[in-house]
Amino acid sequence: DTPGFVQTTTPTAMGNVPAERVKGIFDKLDKDGNGYLKFEEVKIVANICGLDYGKIQAAYQKADKSKEGQINLVETQALLKDLNLTEEQLVALESQLAEVVLVLPNTTV
């Protein structure tokens, strides 16, 4: 394994997810900015990537090594590895999350 990369397990997957790419996804999902992702913040991945909700939930629970109901950046790398996202799914995820981030500051309550 190469430090800073997430190895995927199937040849149809994208192979390696660079750590900075994982960090970008993590930062966009971390809505409250506390440095951890709750499942509520992660479940959008199922919708964007067209994945089964149960698959996301199982991968999240597996990644949550501390069983505290939140995952950190390292655990997010494990989550993405377990989900085995394709390049197309990762691009869609990054694109959709970027749009959400751009829209949120302009909303009024």
Side-chain angles (χ1 to χ4, degrees), residues 4-6 14-29 73 76-77 80 85-95 97:
F5 287 86
V6 176
M14 68 170 288
N16 295 319
V17 181
E20 58 274 2
R21 199 168 180 189
V22 174
K23 174 90 168 97
I25 292 169
F26 178 88
D27 288 345
K28 290 171 186 165
L29 289 172
L73 179 59
T76 301
Q77 286 181 312
L80 293 176
L85 300 176
T86 64
E87 177 64 20
E88 291 78 18
Q89 288 171 315
L90 280 167
V91 168
L93 181 60
E94 291 166 326
S95 173
L97 291 175

Side-chain angles (χ1 to χ4, degrees), residues 18 21 40 47 61 63-64 70 79-80 87 106-108:
R21 199 168 180 189
E40 289 299 313
N47 295 335
Q61 289 171 346
D64 183 12
Q70 59 186 14
L79 171 77
L80 293 176
E87 177 64 20
N106 298 325
T107 50
T108 56

